[in-house]
Amino acid sequence: MRAELSPEVLSALEEATSDVVTIEAGNDLVTSGEAVSHIHYLLRGTVVRYREDKKGQRQVVGIGLHGEFLDIDSFQLRVPNYSMRSLDTAEVAKIPFDGLAALLCRFPDMVRTLWTSTVSEGIALQYWIFRIGRLRGEGRIAHLICELAERLRQYGRFEGGALNLPLRQCDYAEACGMTPIHANRCFASLRERGFVDVKRARTLHVLAEPELRKLAMFNVLAVSSEGDASRNTK
């Protein structure tokens, strides 16, 4: 989730950054089980966190948008239990653990900011479990669309209409615990019902967000620990 940082902290964060790397689409920036010495801040692009089974089948367990820390938990765990892959050309700032520790001492408010971000991710994970465990196919897809729309809205990058993210239907499938064929059928049904449309590759148009929220039993608190419950549609 996004961390709201002051210009002063952002400037200090830039100074603490050891490197800025470009990751091309389809490449991993973190591999599960391999120790890391820094956390990642996404400057541009879209990244998925995922795990694979013994057959190499992927389950997406999180989606990172630009302007977000991708792996704050690594600061404590040091060895991530997930991999991270870019869906498009991503620009990522690498912040060493010792540099981050110094920042937290220098800016005590940053501790609360990162903690709030971590809590928000935990809340979002609960809704991901609910989505897969209790919703049917169309509801799962609708829930993920609503989550991404709300996150982009909070960042000022969505006001209805086009949801400009590089997610393919197979990415939605892997995030919603279904096969690509099932996801394709769910998208077709959502289009027939007038809820969404796809004008061009990887550009999803949200046509009826209230109806999507109702279908998904979507709660705005799924994307913010300080969300406005009055905006919720269940």
Side-chain angles (χ1 to χ4, degrees):
M1 293 297 176
R2 189 184 191 193
E4 296 291 348
L5 303 174
S6 68
E8 183 182 14
V9 172
L10 284 172
S11 178
L13 195 63
E14 184 177 353
E15 293 176 6
T17 297
S18 63
D19 195 13
V20 175
V21 297
T22 299
I23 309 294
E24 297 299 331
N27 291 328
D28 286 356
L29 57 149
V30 165
T31 301
S32 176
E34 294 186 4
V36 295
S37 58
H38 49 265
I39 65 171
H40 299 84
Y41 183 79
L42 190 58
L43 300 171
R44 176 169 60 93
T46 306
V47 169
V48 294
R49 290 191 293 271
Y50 70 94
R51 299 193 60 156
E52 288 183 329
D53 63 18
K54 293 181 180 180
K55 297 181 179 179
Q57 297 298 310
R58 192 173 68 166
Q59 174 67 47
V60 171
V61 297
I63 299 173
L65 307 178
H66 82 257
E68 296 181 343
F69 287 101
L70 298 177
D71 52 352
I72 297 175
D73 55 330
S74 292
F75 183 54
Q76 179 66 29
L77 300 177
R78 306 298 166 111
V79 181
N81 60 1
Y82 51 79
S83 299
M84 293 196 296
R85 179 170 296 174
S86 178
L87 296 184
D88 51 7
T89 301
E91 192 173 277
V92 183
K94 301 169 70 173
I95 305 158
F97 292 149
D98 54 355
L100 179 60
L103 282 177
L104 295 178
C105 292
R106 182 179 170 189
F107 300 102
D109 287 348
M110 190 176 176
V111 175
R112 182 181 183 279
T113 298
L114 295 187
W115 174 243
T116 299
S117 179
T118 302
V119 169
S120 296
E121 288 187 1
I123 292 172
L125 179 59
Q126 294 175 29
Y127 282 96
W128 276 53
I129 294 171
F130 166 79
R131 178 174 72 221
I132 292 177
R134 302 309 304 169
L135 298 179
R136 300 182 67 177
E138 289 180 31
R140 296 182 195 181
I141 297 291
H143 195 281
L144 183 55
I145 292 171
C146 290
E147 176 194 317
L148 294 171
E150 184 61 28
R151 286 168 66 186
L152 290 174
R153 180 180 288 111
Q154 291 179 6
Y155 304 164
R157 303 204 298 269
F158 179 76
E159 296 180 356
L163 194 67
N164 292 308
L165 291 172
L167 275 76
R168 301 164 298 175
Q169 288 191 10
C170 63
D171 297 315
Y172 281 96
E174 291 173 350
C176 293
M178 62 178 68
T179 66
I181 293 175
H182 190 186
N184 181 271
R185 291 171 179 166
C186 291
F187 269 104
S189 177
L190 292 175
R191 285 194 296 268
E192 289 173 2
R193 297 171 71 174
F195 292 175
V196 301
D197 195 10
V198 180
K199 298 294 185 183
R200 58 187 176 85
R202 302 195 186 188
T203 299
L204 179 73
H205 286 255
V206 178
L207 304 179
E209 190 173 0
E211 287 77 7
L212 278 176
R213 288 190 173 206
K214 184 176 180 180
L215 174 64
M217 293 188 281
F218 181 74
N219 190 320
V220 72
L221 297 181
V223 297
S224 174
S225 61
E226 299 177 355
D228 179 1
S230 67
R231 294 164 60 193
N232 174 42
T233 300
K234 284 190 72 174

